[in-house]
Amino acid sequence: MKKDRTMEVFLVRADPQCKPTQYRLVVPKMGAVSDLCSALSKLSGVPAENMVVTDVYNHRFHKIFQTDEMLSHIMERDDLFVYEVKSPRGSVSEWLTLPICFRERRFRQSSAAGTILFGQPLLISVPRQKLTADMLYNLILERIQRYVKAPLPEEYSRPSSDAAACNGSNGMYDVEEMDHQEEQEEQESSPEESNGQSDDSVEDENSEGCSPCNKMPKKAQDVRKRLFCFSLVNSYATSDVGSMPAEGAFLKLTSYSTVAIDWDTETKKLCYDEQEAEAFDKHESMMQPQKKKMTVALRDCIQLFTKTEVLGEHDPWYCPNCRKHQRATKKFDLWSLPKILVVHLKRFSYNRYWRDKLDAVVEFPIRNLNMSEFVCDPTAGPYVYDLVAVSNHYGGMGGGHYTAYAKNQETQQWYYFDDSSVSPASEDQIVTKAAYVLFYQRQDGGGFKASSPAASLGSPPTEDDLGDQERQQDLDCMDTN
């Protein structure tokens, strides 16, 4: 049995000018995350102790791995990003490894704000002590400088309701603070300034037009120029869990903290370069040819399920006639099928020496799964099904995570369910190697004829049975025999 496995990862270096680099690694199949870091360190030169391995999904960190976790928990198609940090996440040092997610804040007609995740999340090293919001802003801005351009002053001349609400949401500055600062500046101004003879006053008079920004205090204008604001969120960045302290106060962050940087739509469109943010380089290890990944058709699985099987040498059957253990045969047959067909894919393999999860991609149809040829009853059918839901399993033998795809019966729109997160999905996303349980619904046309319970037992149907059969068709009952 093969003892190694090939894994593809993206290394995100601490240098903000470096694009992420994709590597292909050969690691022990039953190894740990530390083995992955060691293999990547040999190719990249980054010390293994300064690496944090993550699983990125849907613009957020699906999981941040510990170095002693088994690689069997990581699937081949998981998007692995390895970040270079100043100290490992969770270690006691002067630096803290902080997860950062990007969110776009959109405002609806009801003025209620909603957020949408975008881009690739980051892990950055920040000081554990005496960290302010201003310092955090500069650290993040320095880290994303490759794909975020600084705005020009005239690009913020028009007030943005999105930006104003965003800046006021995290305790930086709100309208009352701006008014209070403006009053203080007026009181502290010199007589020369109060008479309108200051340089600022002259500049205002000579400027073209009178923009709203010119009427705002300087402190407020500085806030307006910020590209984003902060929110303390849960690990999936799906909900806020707290507000940031006021400007100048120290942030109380822990190794469990996650920060979202919220952008208003206008600023994101103006300053965020999506193409550059998604750009990456390929290491020479990616150029090596790879074997084609194995795929299996669902039809082949069903054929094998109904095929006559000879029991193994170590799994004999005791014959009551000769009173000896014999190598017998067994076979499953399908007499009839229900309206809702549940197909459970056997993803876990066991033997005396090895337990493993099967990662082969099972190709299953979204529409028109024809099961008629596998049904023994010649009078029943046709059995044609459409997919309505899929349960996915990510992980290995020791544990994992479940997600699901499901189709709305009214709109025919597919959705992806991941804990409390629900997002629209397309049909081309559904067939993955994580598929574990498939749910099909029968296309019941006018010619469908269900098997009666009596027929399934082999006895001729009676008038009562025929009446029961009609009621069964009306109620769409399942034949459990």
Side-chain angles (χ1 to χ4, degrees), residues 102-170:
F102 294 75
R103 299 195 306 184
E104 179 182 352
R105 189 177 293 274
R106 297 182 177 180
F107 288 79
R108 305 180 181 90
Q109 295 180 353
S110 60
S111 75
T115 57
I116 300 176
L117 291 168
F118 72 93
Q120 293 295 334
L122 290 175
L123 283 182
I124 65 172
S125 298
V126 299
R128 188 179 292 269
Q129 304 292 335
K130 297 182 179 180
L131 175 67
T132 64
D134 214 29
M135 294 170 59
L136 179 60
Y137 177 85
N138 291 328
L139 285 171
I140 296 176
L141 196 60
E142 179 183 6
R143 184 63 182 272
I144 62 179
Q145 60 180 281
R146 180 174 58 85
Y147 47 91
V148 172
K149 65 176 182 178
L152 299 174
E154 59 268 20
E155 293 175 332
Y156 278 83
S157 61
R158 186 174 71 248
S160 169
S161 60
D162 290 6
C166 185
N167 287 331
S169 66
N170 62 3

Side-chain angles (χ1 to χ4, degrees), residues 28 87 188 223 231 261 274 318 394 449 465 473:
S87 62
E188 295 173 359
V223 174
S231 299
I261 56 175
E274 293 187 7
Y318 182 77
Y394 297 91
K449 179 181 178 183
D465 293 331
Q473 292 178 5

